[in-house]
Amino acid sequence: MARRLRVAAAMLLGAAVVSIPVAAAAPGVTEGAPIVFGAALSLTGKYSIDGKTTQQGYDLAVQRVNEMGGVKVGGQAHKLKIVYYDDESTSSRGAQLVERLISQDGVQFVLGPYSSGLTKAIAPITEKYKIPMIEANGADRALFTNGYRYLFAVLNTSDNYLRPAVTLVAEATQKAGHEPKAVRVGVVIENDDFSQDVRDGAVEEAKKWGMQLVVDDKLPPELNDMSSALTKVRALKPDLLIVSGHAKGAVLAIRQVSEQLVGVHALALTQCDSAQIIEKFGKAAEYALCAAQWDRSLAYSDRWFGTAENYAQRFEKEYKDPATYESAESAAAVLTFVDAIERAGSLDREKVRDAIAGTDLMTFFGPIKFDPSGKNVAKSMVLYQVQNGRYAVVAPGKWAKARPIYPAPAWDQRQ
Amino acid sequence: MMGNLMLLLDAPGLNLQLLVDGVLVGAIFALVAYGMALVWGVMNLINVAQGELVLLGGYVVFFGTKAGIAPLVAIPVAAAIVATIGWALYRVVIYRVVERDPFSSILATFGLSIVIQQLANQLFGADVRTVESGLGSLLVAHGMLTVARVKLLAFVSAILLGSLLVWFMRATRLGQAIRATAQNSRAARTLGVNTDRVYAATFAINGAICGAAGGLVAMTWMVHPYAGLGYTVRSFMIVVVAGLGSLGGVALAGAGLGIAENYAGFLFGAEYQTAFVFSLLVVILVTRNLWLKRQRRYLR
């Protein structure tokens, strides 16, 4: 015991000695021990692409905060550090690893994993240890109905993804002098937490306008052919067809809707950009409506990255990949922690938790303000339409860069 | 479900669409199944990694077309590459379990399927990949029926490849040696057939079939590292129904499965389409077992 104390004392002394010359660089501020975050991310397995993007977003934010001098708490500047584990895209592994991050690696705060399913598995653990977790990639509304006290999400919940698409169709129908009640809606959506919540939101919105739901099919996660569902869509002729099922769903929808010449007036999708529908399908992807959490053209900015466009450029310089919204929301999760810790003026978990709950922050990703359940209620989704081989923001009105094209031309009218 | 049934009765044209789609995709399933039947019949080995070999073919065609090769040229290339992979797999793993009890072969190929999945995930990423043929669709019967030209192409290619195989088995020395080994490997050995080489060739031919089928899969649907199991299960089912060694039977069973799947997807919703395939497999295994028992034969 005595020996261990001596070692610890020596280490502390060593740390103090090392920190003096560094602290001299920032006058009046001494350098404290780094603040350690933990994250279990899907670096292998079916979410590995998105897991990697999430990690890049976290890393870029940490890099930026550190190069600006770190987080200042009570006259001390703390650098940030993240300990990562690979959860192999499985929930049980994610929960185990977060338990390990907290109880063995002693991380002070937790950053969320990728996907609603994994967030669901991890939230009970952070709750048990009373460790604040800010997550950026779990959008299912069901995450925020359990009364979790330590869970916060910077992104919009999944029910909001395609509400703007329904509104857009309703408004376009009104403008053309028809009743939105006459609009027929078809829904073909994967049977998983996230996608079903996307469906529920869109259907709620459609009911609000009095639209008729004519197709309501579910896709199993392992399906790679939706032609039988589309045969039904072709027969029942909805005006708006809503398809969601992660990147695979978007790929299938564009491929098979164009192959079967399904003549809907609007096709609304999620995860278009991670599915790279424009790159894959070119003309066949035209006029598709796509939900996104963020776009580089939005006029948000903050003191860390500057504007959304600045963030996107920095990301591309660093990783040679386009900046997707998944990376942006992940970076925003780190920034929210930084802001809350500075306002709390302490590294005490409870104080930081309360500071997070009181967040009212503008970031390059958008405004962040949590409701009592921990979800961000200040930001809104954006809706793209593929126009001339590019994503153009068509809703909400104040961000729109292009006029939505509705109805989309029939297949035989397209070149 | 009743609503869907009424819809089918109201609009008979829909039946045509489901039938045509079913037959066209059934041909691809049948091609993969024929490879499985070949390996099963000759080597007494149930290849659980069949679907993964299909995916490898899909990846070859994907990267080939990305490098500028025309899809139709990329398919033979995929067949050649996956055949080589098949041959290598035989030399490293499969030869240890050939002629052993099915349990060890199932276990070994199951292990292979996991290794291939994870390797594909590491090397190619978890992204969904697809090859855009740019062929468009045909409108038949006043627009009532749409047929994607790429499905038609896949159908024709599957039939051509199947016929090529039949010719190969009948007319070439290697084909004869393969058939002799399938009938009685010990007798073939005493008559001077090098069965080890026959097995290696058989597994390589299966690789070629899977590689070509994989290219068609990438052009018709898509590939990603975890899509293999569906093709393994479907082939298994088709082989169980059609038996070993009859290409006609395999083709019929493939078409039947394709049609059944499309109807199930339409009637019960796409959600239950895959569930339907698995339930059908159970039903088929049970009835086939009963039928064999009545004939005093057993499913091997």
Side-chain angles (χ1 to χ4, degrees), chain B residues 84-102:
Chain B
T84 317
I85 294 174
W87 179 83
L89 284 180
Y90 176 82
R91 286 294 172 210
V92 179
V93 180
I94 305 289
Y95 81 93
R96 298 168 203 274
V97 292
V98 159
E99 291 182 354
R100 299 272 286 276
D101 60 312

Side-chain angles (χ1 to χ4, degrees), chain B residues 130-141:
Chain B
T130 178
V131 177
E132 185 55 10
S133 60
L135 290 175
S137 299
L138 285 175
L139 271 178
V140 191

